Amino acid sequence: VNVAGLLRYTLKRADKAVTLEEEVTVLKHYINIQKARFPDRLHTIFDIDEKLLAIPIPALTLQPIIENAVIHGVEPKEEGGTICFRIFELESDVFIEIEDDGPGMSIDRIESILKGETSQNLGHSTGIGLSNVVQRLRLFFGYDDVINIESKEGIGTKVVIKIKDHIIQEHNEKSLSVSS
């Protein structure tokens, strides 16, 4: 069921805007698949402000970030790890945080991802997904600081997506004019 849901979403939604609610649903499908692979090693914490789930976001944004957290944060550790997923509002901006307690990454690696460099340039087998997400978020929202990556080697990584207040206001105005 989870695989079918993930595939349907991927085929129907590529290159489209969706709601945060749709992204969270597909994210939960992906997590359930990974928990079947790592039943005792993958732990998740969800803290979601449900009133924020109508906000638009590019399709297939969150799953690649979670996938990176699983591959680089959970899989390398014999005991597994924890991924925390949060959606909250702070000073009228909306934040989406994905945090893992994995080995972390270097500042150079973070800078390369945020510059949009592909994995071939980085000498790694993965990374295209996250660089692609960074570029798509910047295009969709129209500003560069929409995503930030914080990491400490040996402690973990946190990816933070910031949806600014003016984007939310524009969305709310469009929703009101459509319903009127």
Side-chain angles (χ1 to χ4, degrees):
V1 169
N2 288 304
V3 171
L6 188 60
L7 287 173
R8 266 193 308 277
Y9 182 82
T10 302
L11 294 172
K12 286 183 177 178
R13 304 292 193 279
D15 298 329
K16 293 183 181 175
V18 297
T19 64
L20 263 175
E21 182 172 22
E22 291 173 285
E23 276 289 285
V24 168
T25 297
V26 79
L27 178 68
K28 288 181 178 179
H29 287 312
Y30 179 79
I31 291 286
N32 288 335
I33 292 166
Q34 293 302 332
K35 282 188 172 188
R37 287 182 63 211
F38 306 110
D40 298 326
R41 294 182 55 219
L42 174 58
H43 309 284
T44 55
I45 299 168
F46 286 88
D47 182 11
I48 300 170
D49 184 340
E50 306 257 332
K51 75 177 189 285
L52 303 172
L53 293 179
I55 294 171
I57 190 166
L60 301 171
T61 296
L62 302 179
Q63 184 274 331
I65 300 171
I66 291 284
E67 183 175 353
N68 261 9
V70 170
I71 292 169
H72 300 291
V74 175
E75 282 185 23
K77 294 170 58 180
E78 189 175 316
E79 70 279 10
T82 301
I83 297 173
C84 297
F85 179 81
R86 294 181 280 280
I87 300 175
F88 61 95
E89 190 172 19
L90 180 65
E91 297 177 6
S92 300
D93 294 329
V94 172
F95 292 86
I96 303 164
E97 293 182 348
I98 296 125
E99 185 173 8
D100 68 66
D101 60 357
M105 66 176 97
S106 69
I107 290 172
D108 290 341
R109 176 89 172 113
I110 293 169
E111 287 175 1
S112 296
I113 291 167
L114 293 176
K115 286 179 188 172
E117 295 177 1
T118 64
S119 63
Q120 290 125 354
N121 299 12
L122 299 171
H124 298 287
S125 61
T126 60
I128 293 173
L130 196 49
S131 294
N132 185 354
V133 167
V134 169
Q135 291 171 349
R136 289 187 311 114
L137 282 168
R138 287 177 176 161
L139 284 171
F140 186 84
F141 289 112
Y143 51 94
D144 283 346
D145 64 343
V146 69
I147 189 166
N148 189 36
I149 302 171
E150 303 166 13
S151 188
K152 291 188 179 171
E153 292 189 69
I155 295 176
T157 301
K158 180 172 20 175
V159 176
V160 181
I161 298 170
K162 177 182 177 182
I163 305 172
K164 294 183 179 181
D165 177 48
H166 73 274
I167 299 293
I168 298 161
Q169 295 303 324
E170 288 171 20
H171 169 70
N172 290 339
E173 288 169 13
K174 285 179 186 174
S175 295
L176 285 175
S177 66
V178 168
S179 62
S180 299

